[in-house]
Amino acid sequence: MNLRIDRRRILRSTGIAMSLPLLQTFSPTTTRAADPQQTATDPSNGDIRRMLMICAPLGIHTPNLFPKSAGHQYEVTPYLEPLQAVRNKVSIVSGLMHPDVDGGHAAEKSFLTGAAHPGQPSFQNTISVDQYAAEQIGHRTRFGSLVLAANRSSLSFTRSGVQIPAESRPSRLFAKLFLDGNKDEKAAQMRRIEDGQSVMDLVLEQTHKVQREVGREDNQTLDQYFSSVRELEVRLVQAAEWSKRPKPTVDRKPPTDITDRADFTGTMQLMYDMIFLAIQTDSTRLITMLGAGGNEVVALEGVDDGWHNLSHHGRDPNKIEMLSIIETEEMRLFAELLQKLDAVHEGDNTLLDQTAILLGSNLGNASSHSNTDLPILAAGGHFKHGQHLAFAPGSPPPLCNLFVSYLQHLGLETDRFSSGTSTLTGLG
């Protein structure tokens, strides 16, 4: 019997291709499938935990952000002034980086994954922290995660390193979150879900046939594969249930998209409004957003040069002054979102308390394309805030240690993610 088969023989139908894991029996090389993720249960005390990750793609001018002193008595820098209303729920973290993540702007792809050398031609990305969490808790809400962008790419990647397209239009996001489709649209959605369920049936039937042809180790690999497929089946059933429920209603009219990229303030306000509503209605518990930042001349008084050009200021004081106008507005808008979340109570806590939030950048110094000493603001999530956590540049912990802290905040039992091997010291 010829056991050498095409890994993708399992299924090519209904627009879906699902493949078997690579098995020893069918290949001269040995590759083990990843352990299937175990689905955590919802906390019974109503303690809902969330995570929001935001990246500023053109960096943040750290002399205006980082205080000179560490600890709780840090001095207020220009960029921290808008955040003083929620000072006790925000921490400034300096000195962090992703080990072996380089390549200047290319490091954006690794901001939430920590995958090494993103600028190399052979680069293969890994799973982003939000999708790692979504595999385990995404089933609890209508949308497992929301992947957003102000006007550019995406921060989120699947387990196989495929970038997930981002939604950049607030009008479409609002419709997705809050507008029920008509009868035909609902029927079409149900057909897609049912097609997915029939695909799972066929996959399991055919893989059980293959199981009889392989050895013991391959059977263990297939058992892991079956577990993953069953988890996907569960998610499809849950998706079918969500599709039958009405979407939440909000006291807000559908937004009108802003097409003028120079209107940075309006664009970010709309996206933050949608994020606030998604959190408030518990439509999702995992959100990523790639912020604004391109060649446009931002429509702010005192700015007359392109944002990207200003980020490459070369220490020119005039450019830094204009860049500071833009980035101060970034901080003001971020602070506005935090205050809105902190004003809404959820049991004994506020939405800000329940949401671990990160604002940062893959660029420590945009002018020199440096990927070290990254600007990081951590907020919410019941952590020990109100401080400047300053790590020595020589041997700082990896940024992924902060991600481990956030995953544990979500209730996930893990002490590792990518280069992270523990929680971030000092954050609690």
Side-chain angles (χ1 to χ4, degrees), residues 287-413:
I287 305 175
T288 63
M289 189 177 84
L290 185 59
N295 294 317
E296 65 273 9
V297 178
V298 173
L300 291 172
E301 186 176 353
V303 178
D304 60 15
D305 199 350
W307 191 346
H308 184 263
N309 187 44
L310 294 175
S311 72
H312 294 282
H313 50 74
R315 300 186 181 179
D316 181 326
N318 293 326
K319 288 187 176 183
I320 291 175
E321 182 179 357
M322 286 188 279
L323 180 65
S324 299
I325 293 171
I326 300 172
E327 294 182 345
T328 299
E329 181 70 352
E330 275 191 288
M331 292 299 164
R332 185 189 72 80
L333 293 167
F334 179 62
E336 200 174 72
L337 172 63
L338 298 188
Q339 290 176 60
K340 285 178 67 176
L341 291 170
D342 202 38
V344 178
H345 282 265
E346 190 172 63
D348 295 332
N349 301 296
T350 70
L351 292 180
L352 179 57
D353 297 328
Q354 301 293 82
T355 309
I357 301 174
L358 178 147
L359 171 65
S361 180
N362 53 286
L363 293 169
N365 184 335
S367 188
S368 62
H369 283 170
S370 168
N371 301 120
T372 62
D373 196 8
L374 302 179
I376 300 295
L377 290 173
H382 295 286
F383 293 110
K384 295 177 181 178
H385 286 307
Q387 60 177 321
H388 171 208
L389 280 172
F391 293 96
S395 56
L399 176 56
C400 284
N401 277 12
L402 178 59
F403 296 173
V404 172
S405 294
Y406 278 24
L407 290 171
Q408 290 189 6
H409 154 81
L410 293 171
L412 304 186
E413 296 181 0

Side-chain angles (χ1 to χ4, degrees), residues 145-157:
S145 69
L146 290 181
V147 179
L148 311 177
N151 50 33
R152 295 184 59 193
S153 187
S154 162
L155 297 172
S156 298
F157 292 81

Side-chain angles (χ1 to χ4, degrees), residues 89-344:
K89 297 187 179 183
V90 177
S91 292
I92 310 97
V93 189
S94 61
L96 298 185
M97 61 179 290
H98 283 307
D100 299 319
V101 171
D102 44 27
H105 289 293
E108 182 181 290
K109 295 178 288 189
S110 296
F111 185 60
L112 296 186
T113 70
H117 306 304
Q120 295 297 318
S122 59
F123 173 69
Q124 175 62 49
N125 215 338
T126 54
I127 192 168
S128 54
V129 65
D130 61 305
Q131 296 306 304
Y132 178 89
E135 287 183 346
Q136 301 177 65
I137 66 170
H139 63 280
R140 297 177 183 170
T141 51
R142 184 183 294 272
F143 301 101
S145 69
L146 290 181
V147 179
L148 311 177
N151 50 33
R152 295 184 59 193
S153 187
S154 162
L155 297 172
S156 298
F157 292 81
T158 68
R159 182 163 290 279
S160 57
V162 177
Q163 189 175 49
I164 299 173
E167 179 55 74
S168 60
R169 290 181 55 185
S171 63
R172 284 198 305 222
L173 179 58
F174 184 90
K176 179 178 179 179
L177 291 172
F178 306 120
L179 300 184
D180 285 312
N182 58 39
K183 184 177 179 180
D184 290 341
E185 290 170 337
K186 289 181 179 180
Q189 182 182 5
M190 279 303 301
R191 283 196 298 272
R192 286 193 294 271
I193 293 171
E194 289 166 356
D195 284 345
Q197 290 170 333
S198 65
V199 164
M200 294 302 100
D201 292 338
L202 182 55
V203 168
L204 286 174
E205 178 186 342
Q206 296 193 15
T207 49
H208 278 303
K209 292 178 182 177
V210 174
Q211 193 175 29
R212 292 192 291 268
E213 305 173 358
V214 300
R216 180 179 177 182
E217 287 193 24
D218 283 340
N219 266 309
Q220 292 175 347
T221 302
L222 282 170
D223 284 342
Q224 294 173 346
Y225 181 72
F226 292 149
S227 296
S228 299
V229 172
R230 290 187 191 101
E231 287 175 9
L232 183 53
E233 283 184 306
V234 170
R235 294 190 194 108
L236 287 167
V237 171
Q238 290 162 342
E241 290 301 313
W242 279 113
S243 70
K244 298 172 185 175
R245 303 180 194 177
K247 292 181 180 179
T249 57
V250 292
D251 186 17
R252 193 198 195 287
K253 293 181 179 179
T256 301
D257 295 333
I258 295 173
T259 57
D260 182 5
R261 290 185 58 172
D263 188 0
F264 158 68
T265 297
T267 298
M268 292 298 290
Q269 280 178 328
L270 274 184
M271 295 304 289
Y272 280 160
D273 283 349
M274 295 301 102
I275 288 173
F276 171 76
L277 291 174
I279 292 174
Q280 185 183 37
T281 57
D282 201 30
S283 296
T284 189
R285 298 178 188 174
L286 302 165
I287 305 175
T288 63
M289 189 177 84
L290 185 59
N295 294 317
E296 65 273 9
V297 178
V298 173
L300 291 172
E301 186 176 353
V303 178
D304 60 15
D305 199 350
W307 191 346
H308 184 263
N309 187 44
L310 294 175
S311 72
H312 294 282
H313 50 74
R315 300 186 181 179
D316 181 326
N318 293 326
K319 288 187 176 183
I320 291 175
E321 182 179 357
M322 286 188 279
L323 180 65
S324 299
I325 293 171
I326 300 172
E327 294 182 345
T328 299
E329 181 70 352
E330 275 191 288
M331 292 299 164
R332 185 189 72 80
L333 293 167
F334 179 62
E336 200 174 72
L337 172 63
L338 298 188
Q339 290 176 60
K340 285 178 67 176
L341 291 170
D342 202 38
V344 178

